[in-house]
Amino acid sequence: MTLHDLTNRYGGHTDARVVEIDVSGGRRELTHSDLHALAAVRAGQLTAAGVRRGHLIGIKAGNSLDWLAWDLAALAVGALLKAFPDSTEVADPSEFVARHGLALLIADDSVPLTAPTVIRPDGVPGENVAPSSAEVYDGEDVHSLVYSSGTSGRLKGLRISGSGTAYVINRFIDSFRLTAADRHLIFLPLSNYQQRLSVYCCLWLGADLVLAPYQRVFQTLRKEQPTFLIGPPVFYDTALQLSASSGADVSLGDFLGGRIRFLITGMAPIRRETLEGYWKQDVRLLEAYGLTETGMVAWNTQDAYRLGSVGKLIDPDAVTFLEDGEVVINRPAPLSRGYFETDDGSAPEDCFRPDGSILTGDYGRLDEDGYLALIGRKKDVIVLGSGRKVHPAEIESAFVSVEGLSEIIVVPTAQSARLGAIITPTDPKDTALRTRLRKRVEEVNGSLPPHQRVMSMVFSERPLRSDPAFLTANLKLSRARAAEHFAATLSTAPAADEGGR
């Protein structure tokens, strides 16, 4: 698969479908060949508007067939799509277009139509409206410009590689044995590049594709019956809970539409209890690991999997580890060629090194069978008053088998030598369970080195990893936010504390 070849290939798929479900439940459907025809019309309109090869086309809109058509039209004329997250504010459209070097901005109703270069996703641009200030990318293997929120939740702009895109898709097709018989559901924003990888994959194969808003994802699952999907841990937690409340005659597999071959998660750590809940019901929920900077690094598959790991390395020869355990990637075709904006204060060299290698910011280790386990994030490392560094995720893994524990989050406290833990019981109302959990925490503590022991704990009524108040924009846990919220209680609480949220 290459993006160049994709432009013509998907037009020949007359049976494969792309479906759009809107928030109200409305349904719109096109064949791949119909989508190709719509993209060809859009490509002609781009040319008439003055868009040329290398120009940037901005898009800020919800998922739709029109979103896909503009993306594919840009690909056809050699322009680059610059995808903005839903949270992007556009106060002054003309200033926004000029600041981002855009030839055209396709935007939803949140952006006023006060500039000739701004149109709606289903609209038609005027002729020769591309401004002279439009930036031109030339001579680089850059397919698109996207934003990633990273672990901090603040935006980083990334230049996405066409060759890196093709590399990831080809490996994904082979590893998961995807064919034209598959049907994929996307419910996360297309501005997230992972979703566009899935789109190109389905278009290449002639597989069905369904776009649905998160608000209607569970209704869509049952009606559209996908064979695979990719989602964050909070989605799988919710699906498991809803399935359990649907009645004994509804299995998890049926709740998910009845045709699921596999599910993938990998945007944040997932609870072992959730993984086991799926596998016990013969639904294969597989962890994977990757970054927008590098592309996918490791994944479990239907044929090779190990619960608690993020799978086997896709390219063992491309992965090394620094002395402290940080994962380093060096492959010929990484997904990204570098940053173009960073709002979190990091410098490009913090990730992209001069020798072509990419620092992931993740600590990991391989087991004897080649499965990768992630220990934690560099930004999550807690430095104790003694100068000793600890990985909170590594400590949390020691408690994974504790019965009655739904979630544990290890955080620093105001007392620099004292670690705290925020614990959610499986039954938050059961006071006897809290007593047993306190005892088990003390027992597990005894098996840990002194610097890794949890010295105070509080209880939370619900898991923080499922609570939007403690998640970043890309649905990852914000330990800093959790530590701040519970700071006062953790600093004074003994291990048997009854305080909490």
Side-chain angles (χ1 to χ4, degrees), residues 59-64 67-68 71 81 83-88 108 146-149 155 184-199 209-215 217 230-232 267 292 472-475:
I59 186 164
K60 179 198 173 297
N63 292 4
S64 68
W67 206 112
L68 299 182
D71 184 19
L81 205 69
F84 295 95
D86 293 342
S87 59
T88 304
D108 57 24
V146 304
Y147 290 91
S148 170
S149 59
L155 294 178
H184 180 42
L185 171 63
I186 289 177
F187 58 89
L188 296 176
L190 289 167
S191 57
N192 178 331
Y193 196 69
Q194 171 61 58
Q195 315 316 311
R196 287 164 68 195
L197 289 171
S198 297
V199 169
L209 177 68
V210 181
L211 305 176
Y214 188 82
Q215 300 93 317
V217 65
I230 301 169
M267 302 165 193
T292 310
T472 65
N474 62 345
L475 302 178

Side-chain angles (χ1 to χ4, degrees), residues 52-80:
R52 300 291 180 263
R53 176 172 294 276
H55 268 161
L56 295 177
I57 300 170
I59 186 164
K60 179 198 173 297
N63 292 4
S64 68
L65 291 169
D66 294 302
W67 206 112
L68 299 182
W70 287 114
D71 184 19
L72 295 164
L75 181 62
V77 302
L80 285 68

Side-chain angles (χ1 to χ4, degrees), residues 95-276:
E95 184 278 334
F96 185 88
V97 166
R99 174 160 47 92
H100 288 277
L102 304 179
L104 199 68
L105 174 63
I106 301 151
D108 57 24
D109 293 340
S110 68
V111 179
L113 297 176
T114 58
T117 49
V118 180
I119 61 167
R120 298 290 180 240
D122 60 351
V124 178
E127 294 194 6
N128 297 314
V129 296
S132 58
S133 60
E135 188 173 347
V136 176
Y137 270 73
D138 187 27
E140 280 191 294
D141 175 28
V142 178
H143 160 61
S144 185
L145 301 185
V146 304
Y147 290 91
S148 170
S149 59
T151 55
S152 67
R154 290 188 289 269
L155 294 178
K156 292 181 178 181
L158 288 156
R159 297 179 290 124
I160 298 297
S161 157
S163 59
T165 294
Y167 181 86
V168 170
I169 292 174
N170 287 328
R171 297 303 297 268
F172 186 67
I173 290 171
D174 291 342
S175 296
F176 291 89
R177 305 194 306 274
L178 297 175
T179 71
D182 278 300
R183 187 175 180 86
H184 180 42
L185 171 63
I186 289 177
F187 58 89
L188 296 176
L190 289 167
S191 57
N192 178 331
Y193 196 69
Q194 171 61 58
Q195 315 316 311
R196 287 164 68 195
L197 289 171
S198 297
V199 169
Y200 303 146
C201 176
C202 290
L203 292 178
W204 179 261
L205 291 171
D208 287 352
L209 177 68
V210 181
L211 305 176
Y214 188 82
Q215 300 93 317
R216 301 198 68 87
V217 65
F218 296 111
Q219 299 97 315
T220 303
L221 276 166
R222 292 189 289 275
K223 291 180 180 179
E224 299 294 339
Q225 299 181 309
T227 61
F228 75 99
L229 59 88
I230 301 169
V234 64
F235 166 78
Y236 294 111
D237 285 336
T238 305
L240 195 60
Q241 294 163 10
L242 291 176
S243 172
S245 64
S246 296
D249 58 336
V250 179
S251 69
L252 177 58
D254 289 338
F255 179 81
L256 296 170
R259 295 186 61 223
I260 289 292
R261 292 204 299 118
F262 63 90
L263 307 167
I264 294 178
T265 186
M267 302 165 193
I270 189 167
R271 296 185 302 143
R272 180 63 175 262
E273 182 184 21
T274 301
L275 285 170
E276 291 176 347

Side-chain angles (χ1 to χ4, degrees), residues 43 79 110 113 153 319 460 462:
S110 68
L113 297 176
V319 179
S460 174
R462 57 185 179 273

Side-chain angles (χ1 to χ4, degrees), residues 380 392-393 396 409-412 465 470 477-484:
D380 286 338
E396 291 162 2
I409 296 172
V410 174
V411 294
R465 287 188 172 91
F470 297 97
L477 174 72
S478 170
R479 287 184 190 274
R481 209 172 297 163
E484 181 181 5

